[in-house]
Amino acid sequence: MPRDISIERMRNIGIMAHIDAGKTTTTERILYFTGVTYKMGEVHEGTAVMDWMIQEQERGITITSAATTCYWRGHRINIIDTPGHVDFTIEVERSLRVLDGAVALFCSVGGVEPQSETVWRQAQRYKVPCIAFVNKMDRVGADYFGTIQQMRERLNTNPVALQVPLGAEDMFHGVVDVVKEVAYIWREGNKDDMPEEAPIPATIRKQVEEARTQLIEAVAEYDDELMTVYLEGKAVPGELIRRALRTGTLRGAVLPVLCGTAFKNKGIRLLLDAVVDYLPSPLESKPIVGITKKGQVEQRRPDDNEPFTALAFKIATDPYVGKLTYFRVYAGHLKKGQTVYNATSHCRERIGRMFQMHANDRREIEEVFAGEIAAVVGLKNTRTGDTLCNEAHQIVLESLSVPEPVISLAIEPKTKADRDRMTEALQRLAEEDPTFRVTHNEDTGQTIISGMGELHLEIIKDRMIREFKVEANVGRPQVAYRETVTGVGEARHKFVRQSGGKGQYGDVAIVIEPLPPGSGIEFVDEIKGGVIPQEYIPAVEKGIRESALGGVLAGYPLVDFRVRVVDGSYHEVDSSELAFKIAASMALREAARKAGLVLLEPIMRVEATVPETFLGDVIGDLNSRRARIREFEPRGNLQIIKAHVPLAEMFGYATAIRTITSGRGSFSMEPDHFEPVPKAIQDEIVKGG
């Protein structure tokens, strides 16, 4: 089966933004204007095609990234609509990992909000070229050029305005295309986003000329012909600007900015034109690089004739077909019924039915080609981030960066009948979501679930009840504390057991010392003269790392330290790996206690947006939560309070801020760093643990 469209006419894009900036509404309009759907879905009515989960429809938010395909100007556009809530940041992370370009949405009133910065950093990490769309231009307080200035300051990027708005707030009725030098007007009552061309109004001609000059100067260095024409003082044709702008965008050096209001159907067609004109095809995207079986770095080109190479970036459970594995093909092609090799888990997988996805609807396909995104049923041993490839040409691609959970709950089934179903449900949910972890506490016998926030775990619990029919009781949220050492400590532990026959003997001396935050665990072998034989050193390291997981002070993981193994002894007959592992584990606990231990707690970066009249009350409440206020930022008649607050103090804050501000305040938070817990609180935690 041949391709339906050539690879240079493909665009793989994501739509990313802060929560409530209008991502799903924009995607719904794109699907409507490209003819994929015949009725516009609305987020507030729970009818959005891309928000297909019951939990999304009830809450009016996006929880899981949804993929779809549409066609525009002879190009095929594969779109992934991503969540804006920080609790579901992995959905943005894994989408950006496999996309070639992105549309960054900004609210014209909110500007560059906290989660906007987070998703922007994620896009930069994966070197994804972007265009920006300033949405909600019809809202009170809309500020297009103010939002562009915020992009420059907060995102450290080079935004260039491709449009100048005609009016703002309830007077927003059109835009001027700076490149073409033509105005587009939306007439009252026109629901189809089909703007009429018109001359540029005389009142803003000077502003348009200034914007065009700034645009030309920003992109001139990317096209010699444009540079020459501009320096000679001649009129610069729009075609030259578009060519230079495309080059600058693909390099990540400039950020084209457009505007509109998705809810009122204004600006979507022009945004689609910009996607086609300025975002890359798979041929122009960053080259994909991996490690071969021989340990060599190898590049794979987006060509149907190259060895098959793909990345599994998402696992989802479909009630009708079972486990779906979403994958992006970087090279080669794949037919239904073929066998591929999972180079990450070192096993073969047979390709069953393949689908092109439209949110939760599926269209079965026979073959998938380089540059395409598809889903397959029946891969038993494939996880998120695994590489699928041709067994004769094995390669492992860079996997995903998965953030650590910050909140934990104890969960237990309500009845014996729920026990087995709960185990299966948790296992399947953890397969889908790498930021959701399930552990079993041996001391208490509790099952502990960990995630990115209260909402994340609330959704998990809700899905267990609805999808897996499991009733469960959930304990109070537990913070994912860490432990670390504050000084240097030395210890020696000799593990000896003699009970007739072969005994156990292991003797290990270590020195523990602190490392900077985020360093993890460093193991250094300083054994000289063979006092501990080399074959036992891995067992010593394993004993230390396993012991660190269980902590020393209060059972939380011990992090950010270096252990040097400096001495020891062994027995010709009785020494074993188990003996050295136990000796190392006990030595670590003794050395850590001597070094001095401190509990670390996750500190959240919080931004609260409140009306000025409630500012004092909100600050007082934050101070009672051990907040450190960093700065205030006025935005119209609102105040943005930026603070660092311990996660342990933020439980229930959503209710608190609504109560204090009569429902007019909002906040967002995301993990920032870990800090030592105050001594009095640490003593309480240790006593309670």
Side-chain angles (χ1 to χ4, degrees), residues 297-315:
V297 176
E298 190 174 294
Q299 191 171 307
R300 293 277 163 92
R301 294 180 303 111
D303 186 324
D304 296 344
N305 298 314
E306 284 268 304
F308 176 73
T309 308
L311 186 83
F313 68 94
K314 178 180 166 83
I315 309 293

Side-chain angles (χ1 to χ4, degrees), residues 181-198:
E181 294 184 288
V182 64
Y184 291 103
I185 312 290
W186 288 282
R187 298 299 177 196
E188 199 63 43
N190 180 359
K191 300 291 183 192
D192 279 341
D193 185 35
M194 189 62 82
E196 297 174 13
E197 288 194 16

Side-chain angles (χ1 to χ4, degrees), residues 169 214 220 237 254 333 418 455 555 570:
E169 301 181 351
Q214 288 171 3
V254 291
H333 67 283
D418 285 319
L455 179 61
Y570 72 104

Side-chain angles (χ1 to χ4, degrees), residues 6-12 75-76 100-101 246 250 275-276 278-286 302 328 371:
S6 62
I7 192 168
E8 61 270 10
R9 286 182 164 269
M10 286 181 63
R11 302 286 184 271
N12 291 314
H75 289 68
R76 175 174 162 183
D100 302 322
R246 181 177 181 81
L250 297 190
V275 167
V276 168
Y278 305 120
L279 290 181
S281 73
L283 291 174
E284 299 161 308
S285 186
K286 55 194 181 296
R328 157 74 191 264

Side-chain angles (χ1 to χ4, degrees), residues 213-419:
T213 302
Q214 288 171 3
L215 171 58
I216 292 167
E217 288 175 352
V219 301
E221 64 183 281
Y222 306 112
D223 193 291
D224 293 340
E225 189 180 347
L226 186 153
M227 178 77 83
T228 304
V229 171
Y230 180 59
L231 291 176
E232 288 174 355
K234 297 176 185 173
V236 181
E239 191 51 49
L240 284 184
I241 298 175
R242 269 194 296 277
R243 191 170 74 192
L245 184 57
R246 181 177 181 81
T247 304
T249 305
L250 297 190
R251 291 183 188 177
V254 291
L255 175 66
V257 186
L258 302 93
C259 65
T261 168
F263 184 61
K264 299 282 181 65
N265 311 330
K266 295 175 182 176
I268 302 302
R269 293 176 188 273
L270 301 176
L271 173 62
L272 282 165
D273 285 340
V275 167
V276 168
D277 289 340
Y278 305 120
L279 290 181
S281 73
L283 291 174
E284 299 161 308
S285 186
K286 55 194 181 296
I288 194 69
V289 173
I291 306 296
T292 66
K293 197 175 179 182
K294 295 177 181 175
Q296 298 167 331
V297 176
E298 190 174 294
Q299 191 171 307
R300 293 277 163 92
R301 294 180 303 111
D303 186 324
D304 296 344
N305 298 314
E306 284 268 304
F308 176 73
T309 308
L311 186 83
F313 68 94
K314 178 180 166 83
I315 309 293
T317 302
D318 188 290
Y320 301 105
V321 297
K323 192 169 89 170
L324 275 173
T325 303
Y326 287 72
F327 63 100
R328 157 74 191 264
V329 182
Y330 286 101
H333 67 283
L334 183 67
K335 288 182 180 176
K336 188 168 81 171
Q338 287 185 329
T339 298
V340 296
Y341 187 73
N342 185 325
T344 311
S345 59
H346 307 291
C347 64
R348 295 186 184 90
E349 294 271 29
R350 188 178 179 279
I351 300 299
R353 298 164 70 196
M354 288 195 298
F355 301 101
Q356 185 184 95
M357 299 301 294
H358 174 48
N360 65 328
D361 288 335
R362 304 162 300 280
R363 182 173 72 83
E364 195 157 348
I365 54 177
E366 298 295 315
E367 196 168 4
V368 63
F369 300 91
E372 295 185 351
I373 291 172
V376 62
V377 178
L379 301 190
K380 292 183 174 61
N381 301 300
T382 298
R383 303 284 178 268
T384 300
D386 284 4
T387 302
L388 302 173
C389 62
N390 183 315
E391 190 168 1
H393 301 87
Q394 291 179 29
I395 191 169
V396 178
L397 306 178
E398 179 194 353
S399 190
L400 293 161
S401 169
V402 179
E404 286 296 312
V406 296
I407 178 174
S408 300
L409 295 173
I411 188 167
E412 60 180 29
K414 283 190 176 177
T415 66
K416 282 186 178 178
D418 285 319
R419 187 177 302 279

